[in-house]
Amino acid sequence: TNVLRGQVAEAIVALALEPEWSWCSGDYSGWDFERKDGLRLEVKQSAARQSWKTAKPSKANFDVAARTGYYDKGTGWIPGTIRPAHIYVFAYHSIYEDHADHRDPSQWDFYVVPTSMLPDVKRIALGTILPLATKASFSELKETVRAAAAAILHESASS
């Protein structure tokens, strides 16, 4: 169902990224995965096929609104209008036909974007993401995220 699709997408990302990244999402968490060096990653998902019958595929768009704070396990609620993740992974399941299976990692496309490249919007369409992102299949996701993380660390070391 659509209610569980977000967790399915996160589980698929976990298959690609663990053990380098730890899956830590939960209620009021500001990100879904973290690395020992402090980098944080958020997964957003969308799918063409919905659990209810639609006449045509749903358009891919994702919630990227800055939040009014986030919950830190050690500190509690941290207020502030921010996107606390360093990297976003936009997972899109484009198959609309009857063979669509959201549980199949090979049917998803992943778009990796450093948070600093996202525009100041609440929702973002796939068409807007494409020029900002590095596209990856499931088998390419680990290396694509690793490259994005290295670039972020290099940029912060240069600043």
Side-chain angles (χ1 to χ4, degrees):
T1 71
N2 289 358
V3 174
L4 300 176
R5 191 176 59 232
Q7 291 175 318
V8 170
E10 287 180 21
I12 290 170
V13 171
L15 285 172
L17 301 184
E18 289 179 333
E20 185 176 341
W21 291 83
S22 298
W23 189 7
C24 61
S25 67
D27 290 341
Y28 302 105
S29 178
W31 54 90
D32 300 314
F33 292 85
E34 57 192 9
R35 242 175 36 170
K36 289 181 179 153
D37 60 7
L39 286 182
R40 302 179 297 260
L41 183 145
E42 177 79 5
V43 176
K44 297 294 184 177
Q45 59 77 32
S46 184
R49 186 179 183 103
Q50 304 298 315
S51 57
W52 60 87
K53 184 96 171 136
T54 57
K56 57 185 179 178
S58 292
K59 295 193 185 295
N61 67 72
F62 307 86
D63 173 13
V64 293
R67 303 301 182 212
T68 58
Y70 62 93
Y71 179 77
D72 181 89
K73 293 174 191 147
T75 314
W77 185 254
I78 310 294
T81 306
I82 60 168
R83 292 177 178 140
H86 299 98
I87 299 170
Y88 273 70
V89 172
F90 297 97
Y92 181 56
H93 193 280
S94 63
I95 300 171
Y96 177 72
E97 293 77 20
D98 287 340
H99 70 280
D101 184 349
H102 295 157
R103 301 167 299 171
D104 182 352
S106 70
Q107 290 188 1
W108 289 84
D109 290 318
F110 302 92
Y111 301 88
V112 179
V113 181
T115 303
S116 62
M117 294 181 68
L118 292 174
D120 186 18
V121 296
K122 293 182 179 182
R123 296 199 68 79
I124 193 167
L126 184 58
T128 305
I129 292 168
L130 292 176
L132 308 174
T134 302
K135 183 179 178 183
S137 65
F138 174 73
S139 64
E140 299 164 329
L141 184 57
K142 184 175 194 162
E143 286 307 316
T144 304
V145 168
R146 190 175 280 160
I152 290 167
L153 291 175
H154 176 75
E155 183 179 303
S156 67
S158 299
S159 301

